[in-house]
Amino acid sequence: MQKLKNREELQAKSRFYKETLEKQKVKILVCAGTACVASGALAIYDAFLKLLQEKNIDCQLTLDDEKEKESIGLKRSGCHGFCEMGPLVRIEPWGYLYVKVQPEDCEEIVDVTVLGGRCLDRLTYKTEDKAYKTQEEIPFYKRQHRMVLQNCGHIDANSLDEYLAIGGYRTLEKALFDMTPEDVLKEMDAANLRGRGGGGFPTARKWRQVKRQTAEKKYVVCNGDEGDPGAFMDRSIMESDPHRLLEGMMLAAYAVGSDEGYIYVRAEYPLAVTRLNRAIKQAEAMGILGDNILGTDFSFRIHINRGAGAFVCGEGSALTASIEGKRGFPRVKPPRTVEQGLFDKPTVLNNVETFANVPMIIENGGQWFRGIGTDNSPGTKAFALTGNIANTGLIEVPMGITLREIIYDIGGGMRGGAEFKAVQIGGPSGGCLTREHLDLPLDFDKLQSAGAMIGSGGLVVMDEHTCMVEVARFFMGFTQNESCGKCIPCREGTKRMLEILERIVAGQGELSDIDLLLELADTVSSAALCGLGKTAPSPILSTIKYFRDEYEAHIVDKKCPTKNCQKLKMIVIDPQLCKGCSKCTRVCPVSAISGKIKEPYVIDQTKCIKCGACIETCPFGAIKED
Amino acid sequence: MSQVCDYQKLDEILEKHRYDSASIIAILQETQEEYHYLPREAFDYYAQKLKMPIAKIFSIATFYENFSLEPKGKYVIKVCDGTACHVRKSVPVLDRLRKELGLTAGKVTTDDQLFTVEIVSCLGACGLAPAITVNEKVIGLLTPDKAAEILAELKEGESHAKA
């Protein structure tokens, strides 16, 4: 492919692709995000391809093969976000969204919708009282404000051509030819974009600090090590719209004067790595990445580093150490990353979502961005909505939206009609929010005052059946496992806190344990070296604050109020139902059950290990958890 | 010692990374993709070729969770125990898989080298919780019974392959 040598060539190329794209009167977009692929989306793509060929329907797979007349576009798009309902197929221009599509549905879709233009009602999304023909009508989407995720699910995730056709890299061109680096920084100042990775640090300030450094070599690093369990916003952006991320990084590089960038991606995201690699190759081939981009003196290269399974590498200094080929240990700051980051050079380190916000800020101006969200937290935030909620998936909402709107309007309320209990926000570093916070506007500062944080954006919704002590134990188990071991407060503190929590869920806790936990939490959060340790006690602090009664129930009454904690369960035989068949005694691994044939048996609670084997075996359903 | 490593293959990997010791993580990742674990001989070879202490390579290989010094099974099953999977009952799925294969938290690979069962913190497939991967393929919305079925299918495929 010929490299583009100047802005006119880029504009001509974009125009050409735009016109070709416009000739596609019908577009079939098969969601090819991780979740839909897992549900069989690729088989559906293949089925469509085969059908269209069999029926001799003119279809277009890439924008490069020019079509004289109108045709049908078939694409593998990025994540639509409605993972629960996958595999998803969207048909444009009508915007029909078909859910849980199977390969055998494809023929009917082609006949009825693609050729006939009618909606195939059988496959649309339905709630109890209503059916929704188009994606835009569905409540899950209706209340969202998709800016960063704007292209996700709407363009072919593997195609630079399509990104160009919808105006991609136009902002880069604008910056390179019509703006100085200082102009770019000014727009970023005006926008007041705050880092989407958790901390909420103003992006423009970070960039200015890097720009100010005198070192000749500077790096731009993208943190795609989205390790918080229950968060997958960045994965979706990398998979669905990789070029937007590259463009954002290039704008940062132009603003601060860098010529080399790295993207650090989690090992668990193979699809993101593949798509990013492809995107980089495409951009290099077209002269959008590389030396003297579009004939200017701006040069930029991007490398991809795969993580190797260490959560702590999401921390800035650990991440740069890992790129350098070392153990991912955080280090004492200062010097900060902006002064001495990757290979000891000044480094811009932002996360995926932050970079993905940049192109539209430069395109529409900082003031425009300011108009969205709240005063102190402008813009939108992507959240991964998961847990015991009716609609799980990826959402993007303006900052300042309330939890109630997210959970009930977008999320469709609790799964199975259970009662809402709490939502864990910000992963293992965040805290939980409860009923009393349902109307709290979500932004960086409001959440901090409530003892939680936006974090990277995981929202795990929990219902009345969730044990909050067990949740705290779960998160502590996670951070303890991921503690790198460099500093003592985190290495030892997380271990002891975990031990105490394990004691409590096993019914061996004491009331003084709660105070001990609070004391340890205080020490660890003030003395740990990096963010992982400093925030590790947050789940404990917030669960004690809001659910102290559950801790006390485990400790004093030796009962788990939600009946989750295995070791606090009591398994009993109902003498009314027991026929005395003795089947249960034979499966009990610890011989805790005894009795006489044809008389009710009993379980010796001191021996019972609560394995539940007897419950499964009893033919009369006489054995139950009390 | 039996020779596990194909040194030509190791050279290819080194070549690709221009013998740069800063790329050691990527070099080890590609080695593991080839052998499904990091063979002992590879450490000596890389230490010599990259002119870095073998202890340093070991320190990297043991720090990052993805690296394994033990051979893994033909089918590596990763059970997601991220928050979303955890609250949607991933532990019973894990228990069932281990029970069916006779594995424990300490013994992760079956004696016939067919299956390895591991826990991962989050696969990012939370919409399909609880989820597992079988050699990178994501399978979602699991129940203990469905997990057992998957095992049965894999085992059956194996016995067919042998026959």
Side-chain angles (χ1 to χ4, degrees):
Chain A
M1 182 181 296
Q2 201 72 11
K3 286 195 179 180
L4 303 174
K5 286 190 281 300
N6 51 47
R7 78 184 303 182
E8 287 73 29
E9 285 188 17
L10 174 71
Q11 286 168 346
K13 199 91 184 165
S14 301
R15 216 166 27 239
F16 167 78
Y17 288 137
K18 186 166 177 254
E19 281 161 14
T20 325
L21 189 64
E22 277 166 0
K23 280 188 203 138
Q24 295 182 352
K25 58 178 172 135
V26 179
K27 292 181 208 136
I28 308 172
L29 292 146
V30 181
C31 179
T34 291
C36 281
V37 168
S39 316
L42 295 182
I44 289 163
Y45 179 86
D46 292 342
F48 273 121
L49 189 58
K50 201 165 150 239
L51 272 167
L52 293 173
Q53 281 164 348
E54 275 172 12
K55 290 177 189 271
N56 270 327
I57 298 169
D58 193 15
C59 80
Q60 195 174 26
L61 304 176
T62 71
L63 296 185
D64 258 338
D65 46 345
E66 201 177 348
K67 297 276 179 197
E68 290 296 310
K69 48 185 196 316
E70 291 181 334
S71 76
I72 287 166
L74 175 62
K75 308 158 202 296
R76 275 165 292 200
S77 76
C79 180
H80 286 71
F82 206 14
C83 310
E84 184 78 21
M85 288 291 148
L88 302 169
V89 175
R90 179 183 160 94
I91 315 264
E92 288 180 8
W94 307 284
Y96 297 142
L97 185 75
Y98 296 146
V99 301
K100 298 194 171 171
V101 178
Q102 296 302 315
E104 48 275 22
D105 298 327
C106 293
E107 180 149 22
E108 209 178 333
I109 296 177
V110 170
D111 291 342
V112 176
T113 308
V114 176
L115 300 177
R118 281 170 292 119
C119 181
L120 186 54
D121 293 321
R122 179 169 75 79
L123 291 171
T124 55
Y125 173 71
K126 295 170 195 76
T127 53
E128 269 171 25
D129 44 3
K130 207 172 168 216
Y132 301 90
K133 281 189 164 83
T134 70
Q135 186 166 358
E136 285 67 23
E137 287 170 17
I138 298 174
F140 179 76
Y141 289 103
K142 208 173 169 182
R143 303 296 295 264
Q144 294 193 42
H145 188 86
R146 292 195 157 216
M147 296 174 11
V148 172
L149 305 177
Q150 179 188 35
N151 297 337
C152 299
H154 292 260
I155 60 167
D156 192 318
N158 289 308
S159 166
L160 168 59
D161 307 352
E162 247 175 67
Y163 187 67
L164 287 174
I166 58 157
Y169 291 113
R170 190 169 58 203
T171 315
L172 176 76
E173 175 213 315
K174 178 178 162 187
L176 290 182
F177 293 97
D178 302 332
M179 296 169 88
T180 62
E182 180 56 31
D183 293 337
V184 174
L185 287 170
K186 276 196 183 129
E187 286 303 337
M188 293 301 290
D189 281 333
N192 191 25
L193 171 68
R194 298 176 64 174
R196 298 302 197 239
F201 191 82
T203 307
R205 209 190 297 167
K206 192 182 266 184
W207 290 11
R208 282 196 181 278
Q209 285 165 350
V210 172
K211 184 169 176 68
R212 213 177 293 141
Q213 307 295 319
T214 49
E216 204 150 279
K217 183 82 183 176
K218 289 168 183 157
Y219 289 103
V220 172
V221 177
C222 172
N223 185 347
D225 191 48
E226 184 180 44
D228 280 8
F232 55 95
M233 297 75 53
D234 294 347
R235 191 209 71 201
S236 285
I237 296 171
M238 291 187 280
E239 281 178 9
S240 316
D241 204 359
H243 285 287
R244 176 192 283 256
L245 170 59
L246 302 187
E247 190 173 1
M249 286 178 72
M250 290 163 83
L251 289 164
Y254 178 70
V256 304
S258 159
D259 64 352
E260 200 168 4
Y262 285 83
I263 307 176
Y264 190 89
V265 190
R266 267 184 98 203
E268 286 79 4
Y269 292 173
L271 190 59
V273 172
T274 313
R275 296 226 170 120
L276 281 169
N277 268 321
R278 186 176 298 144
I280 289 172
K281 285 219 178 71
Q282 291 168 338
E284 281 170 351
M286 215 174 260
I288 292 172
L289 264 178
D291 293 332
N292 301 100
I293 294 165
L294 300 177
T296 63
D297 52 9
F298 174 65
S299 302
F300 194 61
R301 297 196 171 277
I302 298 181
H303 314 276
I304 299 207
N305 277 63
R306 276 186 301 157
F311 176 69
V312 71
C313 287
E315 197 272 347
S317 59
L319 186 144
T320 51
S322 182
I323 294 179
E324 292 167 17
K326 300 178 187 147
R327 299 185 109 184
F329 277 149
R331 60 165 170 77
V332 182
K333 277 152 268 179
R336 291 169 305 147
T337 308
V338 289
E339 294 151 355
Q340 286 182 31
L342 185 61
F343 299 112
D344 289 332
K345 300 290 182 225
T347 301
V348 169
L349 176 62
N350 282 124
N351 95 323
V352 175
E353 193 182 339
T354 313
F355 281 124
N357 266 290
V358 176
M360 60 188 173
I361 291 174
I362 305 302
E363 164 119 38
N364 303 312
Q367 281 310 321
W368 164 83
F369 189 75
R370 260 282 170 66
I372 304 155
T374 63
D375 273 352
N376 289 321
S377 310
T380 59
K381 179 76 193 88
F383 288 103
L385 190 59
T386 59
N388 306 123
I389 190 153
N391 304 329
T392 58
L394 189 69
I395 62 168
E396 183 180 345
V397 288
M399 290 276 191
I401 193 172
T402 63
L403 258 186
R404 189 183 299 280
E405 288 170 88
I406 292 183
I407 294 173
Y408 292 97
D409 298 342
I410 297 173
M414 305 305 290
R415 175 180 292 257
E419 193 81 27
F420 168 78
K421 184 169 190 175
V423 50
Q424 172 73 24
I425 182 164
S429 323
C432 61
L433 298 173
T434 63
R435 301 181 69 88
E436 62 180 280
H437 301 113
L438 277 175
D439 294 307
L440 181 83
L442 296 184
D443 69 17
F444 287 109
D445 308 312
K446 292 271 178 12
L447 272 174
Q448 200 153 22
S449 56
M453 65 187 259
I454 281 200
S456 55
L459 275 181
V460 185
V461 182
M462 293 174 281
D463 66 14
E464 56 190 323
H465 305 297
T466 316
C467 171
M468 298 312 287
V469 186
E470 160 57 25
V471 167
R473 190 210 59 78
F474 169 80
F475 280 116
M476 194 44 69
F478 177 82
T479 25
Q480 200 280 316
N481 189 29
E482 295 295 345
S483 172
C484 77
K486 183 171 179 177
C487 77
I488 298 165
C490 175
R491 184 180 69 217
E492 291 299 321
T494 53
K495 202 164 201 138
R496 299 307 156 218
M497 287 190 283
L498 178 63
E499 276 172 11
I500 298 171
L501 288 168
E502 278 174 348
R503 233 165 36 218
I504 296 175
V505 295
Q508 293 154 354
E510 290 167 25
L511 268 180
S512 60
D513 281 343
I514 298 182
D515 291 325
L516 192 56
L517 274 176
L518 291 173
E519 192 192 324
L520 272 170
D522 184 46
T523 310
V524 174
S525 59
S526 37
L529 177 62
C530 80
L532 187 146
K534 280 185 195 302
T535 56
S538 309
I540 294 193
L541 291 172
S542 72
T543 47
I544 292 184
K545 185 170 171 193
Y546 300 115
F547 298 98
R548 200 183 180 109
D549 54 326
E550 284 195 30
Y551 278 85
E552 288 169 353
H554 283 75
I555 295 169
V556 182
D557 312 331
K558 309 286 175 211
K559 276 228 156 76
C560 174
T562 54
K563 297 185 180 162
N564 265 291
C565 297
Q566 187 85 7
K567 290 189 174 147
L568 291 174
K569 276 180 191 166
M570 261 236 298
I571 297 178
V572 290
I573 300 178
D574 185 342
Q576 306 290 310
L577 296 173
C578 179
K579 302 265 192 275
C581 73
S582 88
K583 229 177 166 177
C584 53
T585 59
R586 276 170 273 152
V587 295
C588 179
V590 291
S591 310
I593 311 176
S594 57
K596 271 194 201 140
I597 292 284
K598 294 199 177 161
E599 279 176 38
Y601 277 61
V602 283
I603 299 176
D604 182 348
Q605 296 299 338
T606 58
K607 284 190 191 161
C608 173
I609 54 164
K610 283 96 179 168
C611 69
C614 51
I615 302 179
E616 284 170 31
T617 320
C618 180
F620 313 106
I623 310 180
K624 289 190 194 81
E625 280 171 16
D626 186 30
Chain B
M1 198 190 335
S2 68
Q3 192 173 318
V4 190
C5 280
D6 172 1
Y7 289 104
Q8 208 178 335
K9 187 75 216 170
L10 301 187
D11 280 332
E12 271 170 36
I13 295 172
L14 286 167
E15 195 77 38
K16 195 174 151 198
H17 294 282
R18 296 182 299 277
Y19 293 87
D20 181 7
S21 60
S23 303
I24 185 67
I25 297 177
I27 292 172
L28 293 180
Q29 281 171 333
E30 283 168 36
T31 313
Q32 178 150 308
E33 270 153 33
E34 190 68 25
Y35 298 102
H36 304 292
Y37 80 112
L38 298 174
R40 176 67 181 80
E41 298 114 71
F43 287 89
D44 297 288
Y45 196 69
Y46 286 155
Q48 187 200 334
K49 290 278 173 177
L50 294 169
K51 299 190 181 59
M52 65 194 287
I54 192 166
K56 194 140 193 206
I57 306 183
F58 262 109
S59 86
I60 306 255
T62 51
F63 179 83
Y64 293 100
E65 212 164 304
N66 291 165
F67 294 124
S68 170
L69 304 183
E70 303 289 328
K72 286 192 188 180
K74 182 173 173 190
Y75 299 103
V76 178
I77 302 177
K78 294 182 181 170
V79 181
C80 181
D81 194 28
T83 324
C85 287
H86 189 79
V87 301
R88 284 221 216 151
K89 314 284 177 216
S90 56
V91 177
V93 172
L94 173 70
D95 288 345
R96 181 67 174 270
L97 285 171
R98 281 185 175 158
K99 193 174 149 196
E100 297 275 333
L101 294 168
L103 298 173
T104 60
K107 180 179 162 54
V108 296
T109 302
T110 53
D111 292 329
D112 58 6
Q113 297 283 317
L114 263 185
F115 295 98
T116 297
V117 176
E118 300 175 336
I119 305 172
V120 289
S121 44
C122 185
L123 296 166
C126 315
L128 299 175
I132 64 169
T133 57
V134 179
N135 293 352
E136 307 283 315
K137 187 179 166 224
V138 182
I139 305 172
L141 301 173
L142 279 181
T143 58
D145 287 341
K146 211 171 137 193
E149 276 169 37
I150 292 166
L151 280 184
E153 276 169 34
L154 289 173
K155 280 180 185 164
E156 197 179 303
E158 277 305 310
S159 56
H160 275 294
K162 264 182 207 151

